Amino acid sequence: MLKDSVRTKTYQNAIYQNAFLFKDKVVLDVGAGTGILSLFCAKTGAKHVYAVECSIMADTAIEIVKANGYSNVVTVLKGKVEEIELPSKVDVIISEWMGYFLLFENMVNSVLFARDKWLVPGGAVLPDRTSLYLTAIEDADYKLDKIDFWKNVYGFDMSCVRKQAMLEPLVDTVDQNQIVTNCQLLKTMDIEKMDSRDVSFSAPFKLVAQRNDYVHALVAYFDVSFTKCHKPIGFSTGPRSRPTHWKQTVLYLEDDLTMCEGEAVTGTMSVSLNSKNPRDIDIKLTYHFNGKRSQASRTQEYRMR
Amino acid sequence: MLKDSVRTKTYQNAIYQNAFLFKDKVVLDVGAGTGILSLFCAKTGAKHVYAVECSIMADTAIEIVKANGYSNVVTVLKGKVEEIELPSKVDVIISEWMGYFLLFENMVNSVLFARDKWLVPGGAVLPDRTSLYLTAIEDADYKLDKIDFWKNVYGFDMSCVRKQAMLEPLVDTVDQNQIVTNCQLLKTMDIEKMDSRDVSFSAPFKLVAQRNDYVHALVAYFDVSFTKCHKPIGFSTGPRSRPTHWKQTVLYLEDDLTMCEGEAVTGTMSVSLNSKNPRDIDIKLTYHFNGKRSQASRTQEYRMR
């Protein structure tokens, strides 16, 4: 994931170009991985950095911190941020917690937990803002290949697999030329202020066709901002931006919509953590389309797992 | 994996074009997945097919068999082939057991177990022959990107990750134009006759450069044959054949070899099941090169996991 340069370069710029946010500060890095963000903070003048990582990657991070001569500044703590102990509160929390569809694997709640337990009043969380967007795409070839393939597999009917395939949002890179409608903001999250319950939400959308085309799927993506920087810094994971390892999330529609320029598909998207496995995300999509050349009204459920 | 048409079409042809092997026979499908191979056998006239699958995919297979009207011919058994019971011995065992580097995940031993316990004397195992090959490639760009990347990651030394990256064979598609030397047969396995101990082996190799070039990695791949067919059928997973989901397995060398046309790198490759986790594969590579422009002699260890 370090090879996702959009991601890592944005964090690097946010840290190196804004030393005033880190100089002589105590920093907590939630889900530190190899420790790269902790090293950025140490290099830019942090007083101390606690790098919390619960996987065996923590052992690698310890080795990396030592190899780069920062063992006196960066302390790697192997464990869950919900369970570790720090000697003091921290001035800054930094984290790269975003998953596919922003919320998959639900690490944001670990950041919110760390914020509530360990951040000093008035402390900063970086990044501090993220938004989820929705748009609609033409995707005939891929839908045939990924979904309708199961209707006839070497002469056999595997429609029961097709049903499962429809339930699973597809994480893939969408070509910007496939976009048929506007992009609709669904939800903005302020990481410094939000409550963990805000991770579940329901939002209306209205997607207006910008040309005559077919719509086979809705596509979700997110952006991330560091608004505390001297000059705001961030990145988008949308189809019009440089690709990242998050790609986009494609939700295939049961109906193929024949949309004329100016016609709108409206509806609601509801997002919630799965009650049995809160790392999974349940998505409920209701859509209505009443066009000149096709009409559809349906509720579909998806699960990211 | 059904979408790997090289794989599935080869099995389909081996079965449909050789009905004489299946007509009125009792067949055991080891690791049946969706049940596609069992359905091929049923359609071509098998008397009965036992489709053994230990994952939850067995439930899907039951649904698919029913949807296609073969419930009276195909019986799906959910469980390990080492543990299930059959009402009688079988005439034919069919299985798609091959993993990355042929042996990864070691399902071949389940096929050998089924053969010894359930196959009638003189019964057939399909496919019945597989061979592992080795060649050498130029791969400067990718080695830099995948391996040497870790020497300087956004200004930090992560050489300890480089060490881990070198230990892990990379499963990826190699362009045939990268091949610098001949392709050397390492090992042929006869599935009807081999012993489970034959999965571990040691084989010498001699790879002779066919042009002046650099060598950064050795590449392993396998082929699979159905020699009992009226006309032998099979496929190769080599870089010169149509790509499959198995791709090839790339083993990076610590040394970059500067090879002149006609010069040879010689050595030995030893393959064994990991003693702690027999689904993992340990590979030990010893190589010697004494060229005009570079020399190297080294032993490297790898682990597929």
Side-chain angles (χ1 to χ4, degrees), chain B residues 107-128:
Chain B
M107 210 175 104
V108 66
N109 275 341
S110 295
V111 175
L112 301 182
F113 178 95
R115 179 197 66 184
D116 294 343
K117 183 168 181 183
W118 293 113
L119 192 65
V120 297
V125 182
L126 301 171
D128 60 324

Side-chain angles (χ1 to χ4, degrees), chain A residues 2-3 63 68 154 157 160, chain B residues 2 63 68 145 154 157 160:
Chain A
L2 282 173
K3 289 175 183 169
E63 221 176 314
N68 289 281
Y154 301 92
D157 173 7
C160 61
Chain B
L2 283 173
E63 220 176 317
N68 290 280
D145 189 45
Y154 301 92
D157 173 7
C160 61

